[in-house]
Amino acid sequence: MNNMSIRERLSGNEAAATAMKQINPDVVAAFPITPSTEIPQYFSTFVDNGLVDTEFVAVESEHSAMSACIGAEAAGARAMTATSANGLSLMWEMIYIASSLRLPIVMSLVNRAVSGPLNIHNDHSDAMGVRDAGWIMLFSENNQEAYDNLLMAHKIAENKNVMLPLMVCQDGFITSHSIENIELVEDDKVKEFVGTYKPEHYLLNKNEPIAVGPLDLQAYLFEHKAQQAEAMKNAKQVILDVAKDFEKMTGRKYGLFEEYKLDDAEIAIVCMNSTAGTTKFVVDKLREQGVKAGLLKLRVFRPFPVEEIAKALSHVKAIAVLDKADSLNAAGGALFQDVTSAMYVNNIHVPAVNYVYGIGGRDTKADDIESVYTDLSEIVKTGKIDNPYRYLGLRKEGDK
């Protein structure tokens, strides 16, 4: 156990910028957008004060920010950026290009509602819009996890069996702007842990002239997509291996997901990011009342841990999956579909219900979470789910 860690009080954005400072990437290209603006803002002060030797590129849009990261990474440099919501939407074309070119760019995605109508508060619609773009996606309950996930990011993304870009998600304003206690790792330990980027193929290698991003027609694209899919499968073990190394350094343990009082639970919630904190509080309260409630907090959303999730939930009598974005498909949210698909293909049948919640930053309180567990107890008792597609905290007509 490392007793030398530095205790600090930082916001989630400061924590992300601090991780970037310790990583000291070659290039950071960024364009401001609420609520992630502070990350490149803090980082640019580190550049200005000579605390990093990063080339900071102030671009004219988020599309350009991702383009610059792609150019830098393809050239053989380690590149990072940060964005939110509409910024990510503007990058959309380049997000796919980054992953298809197998460039291990690392991005902080501070989750926010994608317009329209315009809303700058938190939900997961931005992340869900790129969930199939070929990026590894890690979610963070609090500032500590956002920081820790960023420290692990390059070791995962740059692994030769992976070579995929990676985004670390955290909830806009809820964690990005709230100040929490945090344990930082010493600079020299981070440096040693992250290591230097040694790409095999890169544009500035004069001994191997290559083209990046050429035309890829019928004869090859299918195979290249299959290779990307294979890399995403490989990422699962690499994420666990890197987490083990990280635990040796810090004593902090990470898996594909966290099981909170799940081993003997009869009813369970599956959720991501900051809502897990509220849910833990409710689980503790219900346990005191003798209710066997549990939580599965997903950390790794891409690659999706199919077998592991099915196994972890196999003994539960009813589950609720909380989605902070709606798929607008009349069939529930993305997380619900992935979880139920995982259970179905592993031949595990547990009654499951979906709650779309917290859209546009709608506050989700302990009472709301408690009402979900109450619904689950009812499902266990009656064996009936009248409607699996539900809303949590939606105002009805006539509500104030």
Side-chain angles (χ1 to χ4, degrees), residues 136-364:
I136 294 165
M137 300 173 77
L138 306 180
F139 281 74
S140 323
E141 179 186 336
N142 50 37
N143 306 357
Q144 184 74 63
E145 291 190 8
Y147 170 79
D148 291 351
N149 280 334
L150 275 171
L151 294 191
M152 289 184 255
H154 289 97
K155 268 177 95 79
I156 297 163
E158 293 167 3
N159 183 290
K160 66 178 192 320
N161 297 319
V162 180
M163 293 301 285
L164 290 173
L166 184 153
M167 62 180 76
V168 173
C169 300
Q170 62 165 313
D171 282 340
F173 293 109
I174 300 170
T175 62
S176 68
H177 285 63
S178 62
I179 292 172
E180 293 178 347
N181 291 328
I182 189 169
E183 287 197 13
L184 302 176
V185 183
E186 300 96 316
D187 292 355
D188 55 333
K189 285 197 172 151
V190 172
K191 201 176 167 161
E192 192 189 339
F193 180 77
V194 177
T196 50
Y197 179 42
K198 300 190 183 77
E200 272 181 72
H201 309 285
Y202 54 99
L203 286 168
L204 293 180
N205 179 359
K206 59 182 190 302
N207 302 318
E208 186 198 41
I210 56 168
V212 170
L215 196 60
D216 200 20
L217 298 178
Q218 296 95 323
Y220 295 108
L221 185 66
F222 195 176
E223 283 70 26
H224 289 146
K225 287 292 151 194
Q227 286 171 0
Q228 271 179 275
E230 199 55 39
M232 190 60 85
K233 277 188 206 143
N234 296 343
K236 196 160 70 168
Q237 188 55 50
V238 173
I239 289 165
L240 292 172
D241 294 344
V242 171
K244 276 202 187 74
D245 292 343
F246 187 79
E247 190 186 354
K248 281 189 199 113
M249 177 173 71
T250 63
R252 294 193 288 276
K253 188 180 175 65
Y254 288 98
L256 302 168
F257 45 78
E258 180 189 342
E259 298 174 66
Y260 189 77
K261 304 195 176 172
L262 191 62
D263 51 352
D264 67 336
E266 290 180 358
I267 50 177
I269 281 176
V270 181
C271 69
M272 301 197 290
N273 271 10
S274 64
T275 305
T278 313
T279 306
K280 286 174 183 177
F281 172 81
V282 174
V283 167
D284 291 347
K285 187 181 159 187
L286 291 174
R287 286 283 178 164
E288 281 168 21
Q289 299 165 15
V291 179
K292 289 194 165 173
L295 161 72
L296 189 151
K297 176 188 86 185
L298 195 58
R299 171 179 173 246
V300 180
F301 179 60
R302 290 290 180 270
F304 194 75
V306 173
E307 297 84 6
E308 294 85 350
I309 283 179
K311 187 168 179 279
L313 295 171
S314 58
H315 66 282
V316 180
K317 292 180 180 169
I319 57 171
V321 180
L322 269 48
D323 266 287
K324 213 169 191 179
D326 197 348
S327 286
L328 305 180
N329 57 0
L335 184 56
F336 179 68
Q337 288 161 20
D338 284 350
V339 170
T340 48
S341 163
M343 308 208 38
Y344 186 86
V345 298
N346 284 285
N347 204 20
I348 288 164
H349 192 83
V350 177
V353 59
N354 188 203
Y355 290 85
V356 169
Y357 79 101
I359 301 298
R362 174 68 49 88
D363 203 12
T364 305

Side-chain angles (χ1 to χ4, degrees), residues 28-100:
V28 168
F31 190 84
I33 183 167
T34 306
S36 63
T37 302
E38 290 176 337
I39 297 176
Q41 194 179 327
Y42 285 125
F43 189 79
S44 65
T45 63
F46 302 145
V47 174
D48 213 38
N49 297 336
L51 298 174
V52 290
D53 40 29
T54 305
E55 185 72 38
F56 187 88
V57 192
V59 288
E60 71 279 10
S61 77
E62 290 87 355
H63 186 282
S64 311
M66 187 48 62
S67 300
C69 287
I70 287 168
E73 196 83 41
R78 189 180 260 160
M80 299 183 82
T81 188
T83 196
S84 298
N86 301 21
L88 183 72
S89 308
L90 187 52
M91 285 180 181
W92 207 75
E93 173 192 13
M94 305 319 289
I95 288 288
Y96 275 76
I97 288 171
S99 61
S100 68

Side-chain angles (χ1 to χ4, degrees), residues 115-137:
S115 300
L118 179 64
N119 177 301
I120 60 162
H121 293 282
N122 170 251
D123 63 33
H124 296 164
S125 50
D126 51 5
M128 293 305 138
V130 295
R131 67 186 185 270
D132 298 332
W135 283 61
I136 294 165
M137 300 173 77

